[in-house]
Amino acid sequence: MTASSFIKKFLLCAVLVTSSMVQAAGDKVVYHIDNAEQQATKGLRNIRNHLDVAPDTQIIVVMHADGVDFLLDGAKDKANPNIHYASLVSALKARNVRFEVCEITLKNRGINKDKFILDADFTPSGVVRVARLQAREAYAYIKP
């Protein structure tokens, strides 16, 4: 076997192993919410269904503007007040979903972090976070 053919076979094996590792790790998806009233209930349902079908999916929910409202302590769906967001978010957090609130939104709206449920995480900029997840970390983008 020549050195050239050995290198080609080695590289082919490396590509196959890497490809199977990426597939085994599951998909990566960012859900983008900027209007809680229109997107929160539908988005949480989509995420639950997503994980029911593909439980190995890594999901990050990024919220900014009015999208942060459903993570405020005591928040309910205005159209269906029987839906309390905290329990739905907590159930998804237990399935390794991450909920990231934009700190620029907090500053602009004068909201303190202590007003949010304990399952909320924070990111300096929601828009930057969504862009970086897509461009640098190969996350698929979904806007419910």
Side-chain angles (χ1 to χ4, degrees):
M1 176 183 302
T2 67
S4 175
S5 67
F6 173 77
I7 291 172
K8 286 180 185 176
K9 286 183 181 181
F10 175 79
L11 290 175
L12 178 61
C13 287
V15 167
L16 291 174
V17 168
T18 302
S19 175
S20 67
M21 286 172 52
V22 169
Q23 289 174 357
D27 297 324
K28 299 186 298 184
V29 179
V30 57
Y31 279 77
H32 175 206
I33 297 178
D34 61 3
N35 185 317
E37 191 171 333
Q38 293 178 4
Q39 297 172 280
T41 300
K42 176 174 53 174
L44 294 171
R45 185 180 330 107
N46 289 165
I47 294 164
R48 184 195 65 223
N49 293 341
H50 194 141
L51 290 172
D52 286 348
V53 173
D56 59 343
T57 304
Q58 295 175 36
I59 296 178
I60 298 175
V61 183
V62 178
M63 295 134 300
H64 67 96
D66 294 334
V68 307
D69 294 352
F70 80 99
L71 286 186
L72 291 168
D73 194 29
K76 299 178 190 178
D77 184 326
K78 287 182 182 178
N80 186 351
N82 294 327
I83 295 176
H84 296 264
Y85 290 124
S87 60
L88 299 175
V89 170
S90 188
L92 291 172
K93 186 85 170 183
R95 295 176 77 178
N96 297 316
V97 176
R98 189 167 169 85
F99 291 86
E100 298 185 6
V101 175
C102 172
E103 292 177 344
I104 292 174
T105 295
L106 302 186
K107 180 181 173 192
N108 290 342
R109 293 182 57 194
I111 305 172
N112 292 324
K113 288 182 181 180
D114 64 357
K115 301 294 183 196
F116 289 87
I117 61 175
L118 295 176
D119 291 318
D121 295 303
F122 299 91
T123 186
S125 168
V127 172
V128 170
R129 182 68 169 141
V130 169
R132 286 185 175 164
L133 286 168
Q134 287 182 275
R136 296 182 183 177
E137 298 184 40
Y139 274 69
Y141 175 86
I142 296 178
K143 186 165 186 175

mmCIF file of all heavy atoms in Angstrom, residues 3 5 7 20 26-30 41 43 52 63 65 73 81-82 86 92 98 112-113 116 123 138:
data_model
loop_
_atom_site.group_PDB
_atom_site.id
_atom_site.type_symbol
_atom_site.label_atom_id
_atom_site.label_comp_id
_atom_site.label_asym_id
_atom_site.label_seq_id
_atom_site.Cartn_x
_atom_site.Cartn_y
_atom_site.Cartn_z
ATOM 1 N N ALA A 3 1.804 5.289 0.395
ATOM 2 C CA ALA A 3 1.487 6.300 1.404
ATOM 3 C C ALA A 3 0.254 7.102 0.989
ATOM 4 O O ALA A 3 -0.594 7.431 1.817
ATOM 5 C CB ALA A 3 2.680 7.225 1.625
ATOM 6 N N SER A 5 -2.321 6.099 -0.936
ATOM 7 C CA SER A 5 -3.567 5.344 -0.770
ATOM 8 C C SER A 5 -3.894 5.161 0.711
ATOM 9 O O SER A 5 -5.061 5.144 1.102
ATOM 10 C CB SER A 5 -3.495 3.995 -1.491
ATOM 11 O OG SER A 5 -2.552 3.149 -0.889
ATOM 12 N N ILE A 7 -3.237 7.329 3.091
ATOM 13 C CA ILE A 7 -3.782 8.623 3.542
ATOM 14 C C ILE A 7 -5.228 8.766 3.078
ATOM 15 O O ILE A 7 -6.087 9.197 3.841
ATOM 16 C CB ILE A 7 -2.903 9.792 3.047
ATOM 17 C CG1 ILE A 7 -1.562 9.765 3.781
ATOM 18 C CG2 ILE A 7 -3.608 11.132 3.237
ATOM 19 C CD1 ILE A 7 -0.539 10.741 3.265
ATOM 20 N N SER A 20 -20.815 9.841 11.448
ATOM 21 C CA SER A 20 -21.676 9.038 12.319
ATOM 22 C C SER A 20 -21.762 9.640 13.718
ATOM 23 O O SER A 20 -22.791 9.564 14.370
ATOM 24 C CB SER A 20 -21.201 7.587 12.378
ATOM 25 O OG SER A 20 -19.958 7.496 13.010
ATOM 26 N N GLY A 26 -27.535 13.989 17.388
ATOM 27 C CA GLY A 26 -28.848 14.597 17.186
ATOM 28 C C GLY A 26 -28.756 15.962 16.541
ATOM 29 O O GLY A 26 -27.681 16.530 16.360
ATOM 30 N N ASP A 27 -29.922 16.476 16.188
ATOM 31 C CA ASP A 27 -30.000 17.783 15.555
ATOM 32 C C ASP A 27 -29.852 18.878 16.608
ATOM 33 O O ASP A 27 -30.030 18.654 17.793
ATOM 34 C CB ASP A 27 -31.353 17.933 14.853
ATOM 35 C CG ASP A 27 -31.527 16.933 13.732
ATOM 36 O OD1 ASP A 27 -30.536 16.624 13.046
ATOM 37 O OD2 ASP A 27 -32.665 16.452 13.547
ATOM 38 N N LYS A 28 -29.568 20.071 16.119
ATOM 39 C CA LYS A 28 -29.490 21.251 16.973
ATOM 40 C C LYS A 28 -30.437 22.287 16.386
ATOM 41 O O LYS A 28 -30.360 22.590 15.198
ATOM 42 C CB LYS A 28 -28.061 21.786 17.018
ATOM 43 C CG LYS A 28 -27.073 20.788 17.591
ATOM 44 C CD LYS A 28 -25.683 21.359 17.765
ATOM 45 C CE LYS A 28 -25.063 21.794 16.459
ATOM 46 N NZ LYS A 28 -23.680 22.268 16.601
ATOM 47 N N VAL A 29 -31.332 22.812 17.233
ATOM 48 C CA VAL A 29 -32.361 23.722 16.755
ATOM 49 C C VAL A 29 -32.486 24.911 17.696
ATOM 50 O O VAL A 29 -32.479 24.743 18.915
ATOM 51 C CB VAL A 29 -33.733 23.006 16.653
ATOM 52 C CG1 VAL A 29 -34.810 23.956 16.169
ATOM 53 C CG2 VAL A 29 -33.637 21.784 15.743
ATOM 54 N N VAL A 30 -32.610 26.095 17.113
ATOM 55 C CA VAL A 30 -32.919 27.292 17.904
ATOM 56 C C VAL A 30 -34.332 27.730 17.538
ATOM 57 O O VAL A 30 -34.673 27.882 16.364
ATOM 58 C CB VAL A 30 -31.894 28.441 17.689
ATOM 59 C CG1 VAL A 30 -31.772 28.856 16.232
ATOM 60 C CG2 VAL A 30 -32.249 29.644 18.560
ATOM 61 N N THR A 41 -47.380 29.663 23.370
ATOM 62 C CA THR A 41 -48.081 28.382 23.514
ATOM 63 C C THR A 41 -47.789 27.468 22.331
ATOM 64 O O THR A 41 -47.466 26.288 22.502
ATOM 65 C CB THR A 41 -49.604 28.611 23.657
ATOM 66 O OG1 THR A 41 -49.823 29.426 24.818
ATOM 67 C CG2 THR A 41 -50.350 27.304 23.802
ATOM 68 N N GLY A 43 -45.209 27.628 20.303
ATOM 69 C CA GLY A 43 -43.798 27.253 20.332
ATOM 70 C C GLY A 43 -43.504 26.154 21.340
ATOM 71 O O GLY A 43 -42.780 25.199 21.038
ATOM 72 N N ASP A 52 -40.624 14.710 21.325
ATOM 73 C CA ASP A 52 -41.306 13.412 21.343
ATOM 74 C C ASP A 52 -40.873 12.557 20.148
ATOM 75 O O ASP A 52 -40.735 11.349 20.265
ATOM 76 C CB ASP A 52 -42.827 13.581 21.330
ATOM 77 C CG ASP A 52 -43.380 14.061 22.664
ATOM 78 O OD1 ASP A 52 -42.639 14.058 23.675
ATOM 79 O OD2 ASP A 52 -44.567 14.467 22.688
ATOM 80 N N MET A 63 -35.383 34.325 23.334
ATOM 81 C CA MET A 63 -36.462 35.297 23.366
ATOM 82 C C MET A 63 -35.917 36.708 23.488
ATOM 83 O O MET A 63 -34.938 36.933 24.195
ATOM 84 C CB MET A 63 -37.373 35.023 24.574
ATOM 85 C CG MET A 63 -38.097 33.714 24.491
ATOM 86 S SD MET A 63 -38.035 32.773 26.035
ATOM 87 C CE MET A 63 -36.325 32.536 26.294
ATOM 88 N N ALA A 65 -37.502 41.126 22.899
ATOM 89 C CA ALA A 65 -38.674 42.010 22.746
ATOM 90 C C ALA A 65 -39.833 41.462 23.576
ATOM 91 O O ALA A 65 -39.640 41.073 24.721
ATOM 92 C CB ALA A 65 -39.024 42.180 21.268
ATOM 93 N N ASP A 73 -42.519 35.503 35.934
ATOM 94 C CA ASP A 73 -43.162 34.737 37.008
ATOM 95 C C ASP A 73 -44.674 34.969 36.976
ATOM 96 O O ASP A 73 -45.133 36.111 36.948
ATOM 97 C CB ASP A 73 -42.565 35.159 38.350
ATOM 98 C CG ASP A 73 -42.909 34.190 39.459
ATOM 99 O OD1 ASP A 73 -43.105 32.992 39.177
ATOM 100 O OD2 ASP A 73 -42.969 34.632 40.616
ATOM 101 N N PRO A 81 -56.347 31.224 29.791
ATOM 102 C CA PRO A 81 -55.746 31.451 31.101
ATOM 103 C C PRO A 81 -55.487 30.192 31.930
ATOM 104 O O PRO A 81 -54.849 30.252 32.969
ATOM 105 C CB PRO A 81 -56.717 32.385 31.814
ATOM 106 C CG PRO A 81 -57.850 32.617 30.916
ATOM 107 C CD PRO A 81 -57.620 31.903 29.628
ATOM 108 N N ASN A 82 -55.974 29.041 31.465
ATOM 109 C CA ASN A 82 -55.670 27.781 32.156
ATOM 110 C C ASN A 82 -54.252 27.307 31.856
ATOM 111 O O ASN A 82 -53.761 26.385 32.505
ATOM 112 C CB ASN A 82 -56.662 26.688 31.738
ATOM 113 C CG ASN A 82 -58.066 27.016 32.216
ATOM 114 O OD1 ASN A 82 -58.248 27.623 33.265
ATOM 115 N ND2 ASN A 82 -59.056 26.623 31.435
ATOM 116 N N ALA A 86 -45.070 28.500 33.333
ATOM 117 C CA ALA A 86 -43.969 28.003 34.168
ATOM 118 C C ALA A 86 -43.900 26.474 34.180
ATOM 119 O O ALA A 86 -42.808 25.896 34.064
ATOM 120 C CB ALA A 86 -44.087 28.534 35.589
ATOM 121 N N LEU A 92 -40.095 21.135 29.902
ATOM 122 C CA LEU A 92 -39.152 21.125 28.775
ATOM 123 C C LEU A 92 -37.715 21.311 29.252
ATOM 124 O O LEU A 92 -36.787 20.719 28.706
ATOM 125 C CB LEU A 92 -39.529 22.203 27.753
ATOM 126 C CG LEU A 92 -40.826 21.932 27.002
ATOM 127 C CD1 LEU A 92 -41.214 23.137 26.163
ATOM 128 C CD2 LEU A 92 -40.698 20.680 26.144
ATOM 129 N N ARG A 98 -33.061 24.698 26.686
ATOM 130 C CA ARG A 98 -32.518 25.902 27.323
ATOM 131 C C ARG A 98 -33.355 27.102 26.881
ATOM 132 O O ARG A 98 -33.660 27.241 25.699
ATOM 133 C CB ARG A 98 -31.062 26.063 26.905
ATOM 134 C CG ARG A 98 -30.319 27.124 27.636
ATOM 135 C CD ARG A 98 -28.812 26.987 27.376
ATOM 136 N NE ARG A 98 -28.127 28.144 27.875
ATOM 137 C CZ ARG A 98 -27.725 28.293 29.125
ATOM 138 N NH1 ARG A 98 -27.928 27.332 29.994
ATOM 139 N NH2 ARG A 98 -27.105 29.392 29.499
ATOM 140 N N ASN A 112 -36.199 43.507 35.801
ATOM 141 C CA ASN A 112 -35.117 42.850 36.542
ATOM 142 C C ASN A 112 -35.160 41.340 36.322
ATOM 143 O O ASN A 112 -36.231 40.759 36.160
ATOM 144 C CB ASN A 112 -35.238 43.134 38.042
ATOM 145 C CG ASN A 112 -34.966 44.581 38.366
ATOM 146 O OD1 ASN A 112 -34.118 45.220 37.745
ATOM 147 N ND2 ASN A 112 -35.695 45.101 39.337
ATOM 148 N N LYS A 113 -34.000 40.715 36.375
ATOM 149 C CA LYS A 113 -33.908 39.262 36.194
ATOM 150 C C LYS A 113 -34.718 38.494 37.233
ATOM 151 O O LYS A 113 -35.209 37.404 36.955
ATOM 152 C CB LYS A 113 -32.448 38.806 36.241
ATOM 153 C CG LYS A 113 -31.653 39.202 35.021
ATOM 154 C CD LYS A 113 -30.221 38.681 35.124
ATOM 155 C CE LYS A 113 -29.403 39.085 33.920
ATOM 156 N NZ LYS A 113 -28.016 38.589 34.013
ATOM 157 N N PHE A 116 -38.266 36.819 36.566
ATOM 158 C CA PHE A 116 -38.427 35.653 35.697
ATOM 159 C C PHE A 116 -38.462 34.366 36.505
ATOM 160 O O PHE A 116 -37.926 34.290 37.618
ATOM 161 C CB PHE A 116 -37.292 35.603 34.670
ATOM 162 C CG PHE A 116 -37.417 36.675 33.630
ATOM 163 C CD1 PHE A 116 -36.875 37.934 33.848
ATOM 164 C CD2 PHE A 116 -38.101 36.441 32.451
ATOM 165 C CE1 PHE A 116 -37.007 38.943 32.904
ATOM 166 C CE2 PHE A 116 -38.247 37.440 31.502
ATOM 167 C CZ PHE A 116 -37.696 38.693 31.726
ATOM 168 N N THR A 123 -28.954 35.857 28.041
ATOM 169 C CA THR A 123 -27.916 36.044 27.037
ATOM 170 C C THR A 123 -27.787 37.549 26.794
ATOM 171 O O THR A 123 -28.794 38.266 26.847
ATOM 172 C CB THR A 123 -28.260 35.277 25.737
ATOM 173 O OG1 THR A 123 -27.161 35.358 24.828
ATOM 174 C CG2 THR A 123 -29.511 35.798 25.054
ATOM 175 N N ALA A 138 -24.182 25.717 13.682
ATOM 176 C CA ALA A 138 -25.017 24.920 12.766
ATOM 177 C C ALA A 138 -26.377 24.542 13.356
ATOM 178 O O ALA A 138 -26.876 23.445 13.149
ATOM 179 C CB ALA A 138 -24.270 23.684 12.286
#
